[in-house]
Amino acid sequence: MSRQLPLPPALAERARAFSGTPAPARAAATVVLLHPETFHVYVLRRASTMVFGGVHAFPGGRVDPGDRPETIRRDWADRLGVPDEQARAVVGAAARELFEEAGVLLAGPAAEPDRTVGDVSSADWEADRAAVAARELSMTTLLARRGLRLRDDLLLPWSRWITPEFEPKRFDTWFFVALLPQAQTARDVSGEADATTWISPAAANGLAMLPPTRVTLDELSAYRRTVDLVAASGQRNAAVPVMPRVELTDDGGAVVTI
């Protein structure tokens, strides 16, 4: 069943003014960080200077050339619908962006595959996080230096969205769900947000959000237990993209049909 959502005025104006050739959609990843005890999700409000400034979103961003991690899972190409190297790059971007923007690291001791690293908010960890964000240090190098490996098995693929053609900056974005690791704390460290909060998916209706964020939260609100959501993620199709269709309305606005 299709669903229509109104576009914010600024986006509706861009949609109505658009003509010409669409910009290419760049690969990106975003992570819905879920607190396993409260079932709240971590959202941040993008600063006005950022792309999509003023709206609430999940930690995430575009894939970088250095996002080429060694992964535990070997089926990422099938799960994400792209060749293996590109799929691993998307996974690497998801883990890196979560670390950069929320200070949460999905990694564990290389010799202990079932463990995750504990608190990563100390001064030495913060220096490494800042170096990763500044592209002075790759995640691969950081993990190797600390005897860790990426816990990409903790990233649960959820969906894939491609930005409508009217936007000047377009993204082919994979959405993942991840549980907040024990002993870690999400924190506002990116400098790209002017507010952050933990909120239940059902209570987020009053926040300004783009359609992919809104729909994702609506989907998550159908679950009450973490175990059920984790099980549901195995049945999700994150290989076929959702491509919203924009329709102009007679009142001068626009709606997106999903």
Side-chain angles (χ1 to χ4, degrees), residues 98-177:
L98 184 62
F99 186 44
E100 288 182 12
E101 294 198 338
V104 171
L105 183 63
L106 301 180
E112 301 177 72
D114 294 330
R115 282 189 56 202
T116 54
V117 67
D119 179 58
V120 292
S121 62
S122 61
D124 63 319
W125 270 112
E126 178 55 23
D128 281 348
R129 188 205 62 78
V132 170
R135 303 299 181 266
E136 298 167 354
L137 178 68
S138 71
M139 283 282 286
T140 299
T141 300
L142 166 63
L143 296 178
R145 191 174 69 192
R146 289 182 174 267
L148 302 173
R149 69 171 179 174
L150 178 66
R151 286 293 308 274
D152 60 288
D153 57 319
L154 302 179
L155 284 168
L156 310 175
W158 192 259
S159 60
R160 177 185 180 185
W161 291 73
I162 295 181
T163 308
E165 294 183 349
F166 71 83
E167 283 285 14
K169 293 185 177 180
R170 302 179 63 230
F171 299 95
D172 184 354
T173 304
W174 282 263
F175 281 65
F176 298 86
V177 175

Side-chain angles (χ1 to χ4, degrees), residues 34-145:
L34 181 72
H35 198 294
E37 296 177 2
T38 65
F39 212 78
H40 285 188
V41 296
Y42 183 77
V43 295
L44 49 87
R45 187 173 64 195
R46 295 290 182 194
S48 59
T49 55
M50 302 298 297
V51 176
F52 305 130
V55 301
H56 288 78
F58 308 119
R62 63 182 177 82
V63 173
D64 280 351
D67 291 324
R68 296 292 187 275
E70 291 296 323
T71 58
I72 297 173
R73 294 186 61 150
R74 299 303 177 192
D75 61 348
W76 281 121
D78 291 336
R79 295 301 303 272
L80 303 186
V82 290
D84 180 68
E85 184 176 4
Q86 184 179 352
R88 288 190 296 108
V90 171
V91 170
R96 174 182 53 75
E97 288 285 346
L98 184 62
F99 186 44
E100 288 182 12
E101 294 198 338
V104 171
L105 183 63
L106 301 180
E112 301 177 72
D114 294 330
R115 282 189 56 202
T116 54
V117 67
D119 179 58
V120 292
S121 62
S122 61
D124 63 319
W125 270 112
E126 178 55 23
D128 281 348
R129 188 205 62 78
V132 170
R135 303 299 181 266
E136 298 167 354
L137 178 68
S138 71
M139 283 282 286
T140 299
T141 300
L142 166 63
L143 296 178
R145 191 174 69 192

